[in-house]
């Protein structure tokens, strides 16, 4: 998971940068106290600390390993004095973090057993006028062309249709129920073509491996065999050797304010 998150940060940097710039436009004054919920290895924490150069950012995660990686990264980037990690299980209640100007939750809310309780905690922790940003993937990124040269066309579409049949959650009602006033719901579409970021092939391999780990008998044997070949680093069809990769995904961000 940690490796996947770091590749994700590298490949989708432009999207993240657009997103933090937008939060800057929605914030007046600039946020000084920021909380990143379910920070993982710190993709959002670091991006926010860079965007808001005076802010202190508190990264909250249940995993000490994730927080350890985050602390190392912050230190390497000279941000250790403005970034702190707090290990906490947000399902067990809101940790004592003080008042915040901006709370950020990227790809984390859907992991919580009771997201509404976490949103209520975020509401209480924000100052009046403070902003909450929730970001989630509409769908897992896609990389392959329709015809991969091996097996039947449409392999990646069939993998996604098998594993993600339902629409993504819309957080709007959850946010209003917690007392927030919606500012905006904004999709950020990613459509990267060549020249791709250097880490793209490794990112594609990590994402497809993760999907493969959830697939068992749900796909026909010929599809599974084709996918395994594409995941095999030594195969001529390997995702690591292909010239035909692209990156397609959409992330939606809900920005909501505590009145
Ligand atoms: C998919 S990762 C997203 C990480 C990061 N926000 C990003 O955008 O790269 C989800 C993170 O939520 C954390 N998490 C899951 N359940 C949690 C909980 N109950 N309390 C705190 N953190 C939790 C996981 O440890 C993981 O680091």
């Amino acid at each position: 998971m940690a490796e996947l998150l770091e590749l994700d940060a590298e490949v989708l940097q432009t999207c993240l940068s657009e997103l933090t710039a937008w939060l800057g436009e929605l914030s007046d004054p600039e946020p000084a106290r920021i909380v990143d919920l379910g920070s993982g290895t710190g993709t959002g924490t670091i991006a926010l600390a860079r965007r808001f150069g005076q802010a202190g950012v508190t990264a909250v995660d249940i995993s000490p390993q994730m927080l350890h990686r985050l602390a190392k990264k912050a230190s390497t980037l000279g941000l250790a004095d403005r970034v702190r990690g707090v290990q906490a299980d947000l399902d067990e209640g809101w940790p004592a973090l003080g008042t915040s100007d901006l709370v950020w939750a990227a790809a984390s809310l859907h992991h919580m057993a009771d997201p509404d309780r976490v949103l209520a905690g975020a509401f209480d922790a924000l100052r009046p006028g403070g902003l909450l940003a929730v970001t989630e993937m509409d769908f897992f990124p896609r990389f392959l062309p329709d015809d991969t040269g091996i097996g039947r066309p449409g392999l990646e579409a069939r993998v996604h249709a098998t594993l993600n049949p339902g629409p993504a959650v819309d957080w709007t009602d959850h946010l209003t129920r917690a007392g927030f006033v919606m500012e905006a719901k904004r999709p950020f579409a990613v459509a990267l073509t060549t020249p791709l970021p250097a880490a793209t092939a490794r990112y594609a391999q990590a994402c497809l491996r993760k999907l493969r780990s959830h697939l068992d008998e749900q796909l026909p044997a010929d599809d599974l065999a084709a996918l395994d070949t594409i995941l095999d680093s030594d195969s001529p069809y390997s995702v690591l050797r292909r010239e035909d990769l692209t990156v397609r995904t959409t992330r939606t961000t809900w920005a909501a304010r505590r009145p």
Side-chain angles (χ1 to χ4, degrees):
M1 168 73 104
E3 192 203 343
L4 182 62
L5 293 178
E6 297 201 336
L7 290 167
D8 181 278
E10 214 175 315
V11 174
L12 301 181
Q13 210 174 54
T14 314
C15 173
L16 190 59
S17 171
E18 271 176 46
L19 182 43
T20 56
W22 180 55
L23 294 181
E25 287 163 24
L26 292 177
S27 304
D28 184 23
E30 269 202 1
R33 299 156 298 179
I34 301 175
V35 173
D36 181 1
L37 298 179
S39 61
T41 56
T43 302
T45 307
I46 302 290
L48 291 162
R50 283 176 156 163
R51 172 70 62 188
F52 303 113
Q54 305 302 316
V57 187
T58 303
V60 182
D61 205 283
I62 195 171
S63 156
Q65 290 84 359
M66 294 285 186
L67 291 172
H68 179 67
R69 279 188 182 235
L70 188 156
K72 268 174 65 183
K73 208 186 300 177
S75 165
T76 308
L77 296 169
L79 295 169
D81 58 330
R82 292 196 292 118
V83 168
R84 72 169 171 143
V86 171
Q87 194 211 336
D89 179 352
L90 288 160
D91 286 327
E92 295 290 317
W94 191 267
L97 302 172
T99 304
S100 310
D101 304 303
L102 172 64
V103 173
W104 162 277
S108 56
L109 218 46
H110 70 269
H111 286 281
M112 312 288 161
D114 187 353
D116 288 332
R117 202 171 108 181
V118 177
L119 290 175
F123 185 89
D124 291 341
L126 278 164
R127 66 164 169 81
L131 201 62
L132 169 71
V134 173
T135 294
E136 292 283 346
M137 276 192 281
D138 290 18
F139 56 90
F140 217 59
R142 298 180 186 212
F143 305 95
L144 298 171
D146 187 56
D147 187 354
T148 60
I150 178 163
R152 283 177 289 135
L155 172 65
E156 196 176 33
R158 285 193 294 283
V159 169
H160 283 269
T162 305
L163 293 175
N164 314 303
V169 175
D170 186 338
W171 292 99
T172 309
D173 288 347
H174 295 264
L175 292 166
T176 34
R177 269 204 307 271
F180 288 99
V181 173
M182 281 299 297
E183 280 282 334
K185 173 183 166 186
R186 180 170 166 186
F188 288 81
V190 175
L192 305 181
T193 52
T194 46
L196 293 165
T200 302
R202 281 181 294 126
Y203 179 52
Q205 191 182 45
C207 287
L208 288 164
R209 272 195 181 141
K210 187 167 164 59
L211 295 176
R212 177 67 179 94
S213 72
H214 294 291
L215 281 169
D216 217 350
E217 302 299 311
Q218 302 105 308
L219 271 190
D222 65 323
D223 273 349
L224 290 176
L227 184 56
D228 287 338
T229 304
I230 287 167
L231 285 172
D232 176 356
S233 304
D234 297 325
S235 159
Y237 296 100
S238 170
V239 76
L240 296 184
R241 297 165 186 238
R242 306 187 70 98
E243 304 278 319
D244 56 3
L245 296 182
T246 55
V247 185
R248 291 106 59 200
T249 186
T250 302
R251 304 215 157 163
T252 295
T253 296
W254 290 257
R257 206 176 289 282
R258 175 177 171 162

